[in-house]
C-alpha cells in the first residue's frame, strides 16, 4: 500500500481546509519549497489518494429531497444491481453493508414525485431486488469531507528533495 | 431562493467532471468570455452553491472501516446529540431521517477497534441516545459528487455581460 | 344503539356525494316529503351519526408534509399522551392500535422543519413516550369520506310521518 | 400555486368550526359584506381549496372495525395496486409512504370477518402485493378536520371588493 | 345470540372449579332443584356454550416441546393453510391475527427433532406459506380454562321451572 | 417420570373424544374390566396426567376479543411479572418463550375497551414491563385439546389386575 | 445415554485446562492408576464424549473477518441448505434455531471481499435461501471450550478396576 | 504479524485432521525431520497460532440446551458486560458485533430451566443490559474447527534447518 508521511498529511490537512490553497501558500506554511509541495500533490493525485472536486449544495441546485435507501437483493444479484445503481445519476453513494439490507444508497431528488418515480420506474427495471426501505432526510447537520483531525499530522520532518 | 441558469449549470457540469478545470478552458468550451466564467463562479461560491474541496480516498489515508450508524435518540435530545456528532472527526455525515432511527450517520475509522471505541467512549458520553445500530461497509461501488446528469443543461443562452 | 334504516342510508348516500345538496332535491330524488328529509337529517345530526364539515386540501392551505407517526408509550401513559396529542393542531387523527406502536397518528406540517420541531419540541414535552417512528407521505392516492357503497341502501320503505 | 390571504383563512376557520355557518353570520363576524364571503367561498371551492362534505361516525353506520394496513408492494406494482385500492369502498385513505411499507391505508369494516375477507379476497386479487400488516384500532381519540389553529389568521384586512 | 343468565354463570363457575361436580352438589350449592341444573347444563351443551373435556398435561404424555409459531401466508392462501393446519395433530390452536404473522399457532411436539420435522415436512407441503417464526416455550406459568372470575355471577335469581 | 402405557393412552384417546364417556363404555371398547379403567383413570388423575374440565366458548359467554400479547420484561422481573399475570382472570395462558418477547400470553376480553383497560391499568401496575405488543384474533380455526393422534395407541396389552 | 461419572468429569476437567496433559500426571493428580486414566479416556473417546483437537487462532492464520450469518430458508429446503453449508470450508458452525432465521452460522473469512464473495457466489448457488443477514464481529471477548466449571466434579470415588 | 509458511500450514492441516498425530508420523508424511516438526509446532504454540484442546460433545456431558443470545447493552456498558459474561461458565463465546445486538453469545445449559435461570439471575445482575433475545438450537449440523481447506497448503519447500 502507498504510504503517506507526515508532510503528505500536512498538505492534505491544508487542502481539506481550503481546496483552492496555492502551492506557494502551502510551501510557506509548511516551510518547504514550492517544488516539494507540487511533487507531493502530484504523487498523491497519481496514487489516487485524493482528487480535486467541487461539492455542490443539493438544495441550491434544485434537489430538495435526500433519501437513504436500504435494498435487500436476491442472492446472486447484488453485484449486478450495485453496478446498475452506480449508473443512476440520482445515486450519490452505493455500498454493500452488513445487516438486513445488503445495499445502502444515498440519493438526491428534485421532489417526492421524482423519488417515487425512481423507485417505481428505475429500481423496478433492475432484476434482483427483493425489498426497498426508504428513509427521508428531514434535516441535515453535517456533510463534511475533512477526515484528518487537528493534531494528527507531525510537523517535524526533513525536506526530501533538498 | 438563488436561481441558477443554464450557463451556471454548464459551468457546474464542467467542474464536476474536473474540479481543476481552468476558466480559460471553460470559457472556450462554453463559448463565453473568461470574465463571464469568473463572475459566475464567484457568484456561485458567494451564494454557497458549490465549494472547491478535495476528496480523499479513506482507505488510502488509513481509514479502513466505514460504517453507517442508525441512532434512536430520546425525545428532546435529537438536536443536542446531532450537534455533538457534528464535532466528531470520525463522522462525515449526520442527518435527521424518517423511520426507526431518527439520526443516521456515516463515519470512517482506522479499524474495528476504533469503531468499537467510538461507540463505547464517544457515543457513550452523549446524553440522550437510546439505541445504536451499526452497519459495516463490506464493499464500495460508488461515492460520487456529480449530481448533474448529461443533457440537463441547455447550451443556448445569451452572454450576459456583452 | 341508534339504528339507521334504508331511508337514512339513502340520505347519507346523497349527502356523501354532495354535502351541499338541498332538502328539496333529496326529497324529490327519494320520493318523500321535504319534511321527512328534514326530520331524518336533524335526528341523525342529534344522534351524531354525521356532521356537516368542510374538508380542506392540506397542500393548498400550505401544509406540504403529511406524516403517519407510530408512538410506543410507556405502560400507563397511553391515555394521557393520547389526550395531549388530541390538542395538538398538527394532529388530524389519533387512535390506540394493536401492534408495536400503541398509538398511531396522522399529522400535517408546513414543511420538514415543522415536523422535526413537532417531534423535538411538542412530543418531547409529553411525559410517557418511549419511541417515535415517522413515515412521510410521498404521494397521495385517496382521501375520501364516502363510506357507503352503491347498492348498499334499499329504496323500498314506507314514509314514516305520513 | 393558489394563494389564500387572511380573509380566506378566517372564513375557513369559521367553517371548520361549523360547516353549516351561513354567509350572513360569517359576514357579520368578519365585518365584511355577504357578497365578499360568497365570492371568496366560491373561489376557494373552484380552486378546490376545500369542499363541503358530511363526516359520518363509522361506528354509528355499522362499521365496527377500523384498521391501518401497511402494504409492501413488489417493485413496479405500487401505482397499479394503489389505483385498485382507490376503488375499494372499504378504503378511506391510501398513500405512498417512506419506510418498510410503501403503501399505508386506512379502512373501515363491518366486523372482523369483513376485514379478513377484504384481505383474503379483495387484496388477494391484486397482483403485486408482497406483505400485508394489519393494525386494528382499539380506541379512537381524535378524528378531526380542523387544520387551522387559533391565532393563525389575521383579522386586519381591507375589504377587497369595496 | 344465546344469552346466559346468572344461574348459567353460577353453574359454569362451579364446573370450571371442578369439571366432575355432580348435579346434586351444584343443586345444593345454588339452592335450586337438581332438575333445573340438568336442564340448564343440557341447554348450554346443546348451545355449545361449553363442553366437557379432559385436559392433559403435555409433558406427562411425552410432549416435551411447546412452540408458538407465527406464519405469514401468501395473499389468498390463508384459509387453505389454516384449514390444513387444523388437521395437524401437533397443532392445538390456530387463529388469524393482526400483525406481521397472519396466522398464529400453538403446537406440541415430542422433542426438538419432531418440531424441526413438522416445519420441514408438514409445513413444507402446504402451498402458500411465506415465512415461519418459531418461539420455543422455556417455562410455563399458567394454562387455565377458568374464564369466569369470582364476583362476576349474581346469586339472586328466580328458579325458572318452578 | 411417570410412564403411561398403551392402555393409558387408549383411555386418554377415548376421553379426549368425549370427556363424559363412562367407565362401562370404555371397558367394553377396550375389552378390559371396568375396575381396570377406574384404577387407571384414578392413577392418571393422581399423577396429574390429565384432569376433567369444562371448555367454554369464549364468544358465547361474552368474551368477544381474544389477544395474544408479547411482553418484554426488564431483566430480573420476568418471574414476578409472570406470577402476577397468572392471577389476572383475563389471562388464559402465560409462558416464557425464546425470542424478542420473553413472555407470551393469551387473554380474553369483553371488548376492545376491556383490552385497552387491561393494558393501561392492570399491566401498567406491574413493575418490570418494557414493551407490550398486542395481536388481535380476527378469526379462529382450531382450539382443540386432543393431543393424541389416531394410530398412536397400541391395543395389544395384558389386563393388569387379572 | 452414556453416563459419565465423577472420575470422568475430573479427567475432562484436567484435559480442558490443558489438552496435552499426560496420563501419568492426571493419574497422580486424581490418585488413581495410569491404567484407569487410559481406560476412561479411551472409553470416552470411543463414546465420542470428547475428541483431541487443535484450536487455531483465526486471525493468526490469516482469517481476519468473522461473521455470524442468519439465514431464512424457503420451507422444505432447510436440511438441504444446511448440508451444503456443512461442506463450506468457511463455515465453522451451522445449526437450526428458533426465531426469524432458521439457520445460524459462524464463518471465518480472509477479508471483507471473501465474505462478499461467499454470500454472492457460494450462498447464491444454494437453492432455497430466502434472506441472509450478516453480522460482523468487531471484537472478541471469549472463545472457550471449557464447559465444566470448578466445583462440579466430585473427588471422592472408588477406583473401579482395582 | 507472525507469518506462517506452507510447512506450518501443512502441519496445521495434519493436526486439524487428528489432534493426536505424532511428530514422527507428520515428519514422514511431510518428508521433513521430526526435529523440524517439533520446532515448528513449538514456535506456533509459543506464538499462540494454535493450542491443543479437547472438544467435548455438550449433549454427552449433560448440556442439552444450546442458545445463541443477542444482547443490546446500554451505551458505555458493553465492555463491562462482555467481561462479566466472559466469566460465566455457561458462555462458550462472546463477541461485539455489528447490528441491533452489540453482543452475541453462544451458551450451553443443562435444560430450559437452567437457561431461564441464567437470564433471570446471572444476566439480571449485570448492570447495563437493555434487551436480551434468545434463540434456541433445535438441531446441529456442524461444529468444526478445521479452518484450512484442502489444496490451501503447498508441499514444495526446502527444509529450513538442514
Amino acid at each position: 500500500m502507498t504510504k503517506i508521511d507526515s508532510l503528505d498529511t500536512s498538505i492534505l490537512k491544508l487542502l481539506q481546509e481550503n481546496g483552492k490553497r496555492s502551492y506557494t501558500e502551502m510551501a510557506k506554511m509548511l516551510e518547504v519549497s514550492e517544488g516539494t509541495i507540487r511533487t507531493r500533490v502530484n504523487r498523491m493525485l497519481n496514487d489516487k489518494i485524493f482528487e480535486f472536486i467541487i461539492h455542490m449544495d443539493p438544495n441550491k441546485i434544485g434537489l430538495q429531497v435526500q433519501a437513504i435507501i436500504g435494498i435487500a437483493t436476491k442472492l446472486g444479484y447484488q453485484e449486478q444491481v450495485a453496478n446498475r445503481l452506480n449508473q443512476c445519476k440520482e445515486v450519490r453513494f452505493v455500498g454493500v453493508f452488513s445487516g438486513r439490507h445488503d445495499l445502502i444508497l444515498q440519493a438526491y431528488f428534485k421532489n417526492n414525485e421524482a423519488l417515487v418515480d425512481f423507485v417505481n420506474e428505475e429500481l423496478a427495471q433492475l432484476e434482483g431486488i427483493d425489498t426497498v426501505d426508504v428513509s427521508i432526510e428531514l434535516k441535515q447537520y453535517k456533510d463534511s469531507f475533512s477526515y484528518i483531525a487537528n493534531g494528527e499530522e507531525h510537523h517535524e520532518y526533513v525536506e526530501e528533495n533538498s
Side-chain angles (χ1 to χ4, degrees), chain A:
Chain A
M1 185 191 289
T2 321
K3 279 294 181 55
I4 59 169
D5 67 11
S6 64
L7 178 55
D8 295 330
T9 307
S10 297
I11 293 168
L12 289 172
K13 195 157 171 293
L14 291 178
L15 285 171
Q16 87 180 356
E17 282 165 21
N18 175 359
K20 276 300 214 188
R21 216 156 224 161
S22 69
Y23 293 172
T24 324
E25 184 187 352
M26 291 193 282
K28 220 178 275 175
M29 290 175 82
L30 299 176
E31 295 172 24
V32 298
S33 74
E34 201 183 315
T36 298
I37 297 291
R38 173 165 295 111
T39 310
R40 294 302 187 97
V41 163
N42 285 340
R43 188 181 48 73
M44 290 195 282
L45 288 171
N46 279 340
D47 293 349
K48 295 186 187 290
I49 285 165
F50 79 93
E51 50 179 344
F52 290 103
I53 68 166
I54 64 166
H55 184 231
M56 291 171 270
D57 179 329
N59 286 331
K60 292 196 173 155
I61 57 168
L63 298 169
Q64 301 299 329
V65 174
Q66 174 174 349
I68 289 183
I69 302 179
I71 287 180
T73 59
K74 290 189 214 307
L75 267 179
Y77 286 85
Q78 185 188 84
E79 191 175 353
Q80 171 179 329
V81 170
N83 280 328
R84 293 284 300 273
L85 290 169
N86 205 344
Q87 290 157 25
C88 295
K89 69 172 171 40
E90 296 89 344
V91 174
R92 191 200 81 59
F93 174 90
V94 192
V96 177
F97 280 82
S98 67
R100 236 165 41 91
H101 297 112
D102 56 325
L103 293 179
I104 298 181
L105 23 145
Q106 257 188 313
Y108 295 102
F109 305 94
K110 272 194 198 145
N111 48 35
N112 285 338
E113 213 169 308
L115 163 53
V116 170
D117 287 352
F118 173 74
V119 173
N120 287 327
E121 287 162 27
E122 296 207 43
L123 292 188
Q125 280 174 18
L126 304 188
E127 197 186 2
I129 295 182
D130 236 16
T131 63
V132 172
D133 190 330
V134 175
S135 296
I136 303 292
E137 196 192 51
L138 301 174
K139 187 173 180 177
Q140 189 166 296
Y141 276 90
K142 186 178 188 176
D143 191 15
S144 146
F145 299 90
S146 299
Y147 302 146
I148 304 177
N150 279 324
E152 280 194 23
E153 80 286 37
H154 308 283
H155 285 284
E156 315 81 17
Y157 48 81
V158 185
E159 182 101 354
E160 280 167 33
N161 295 327
S162 64

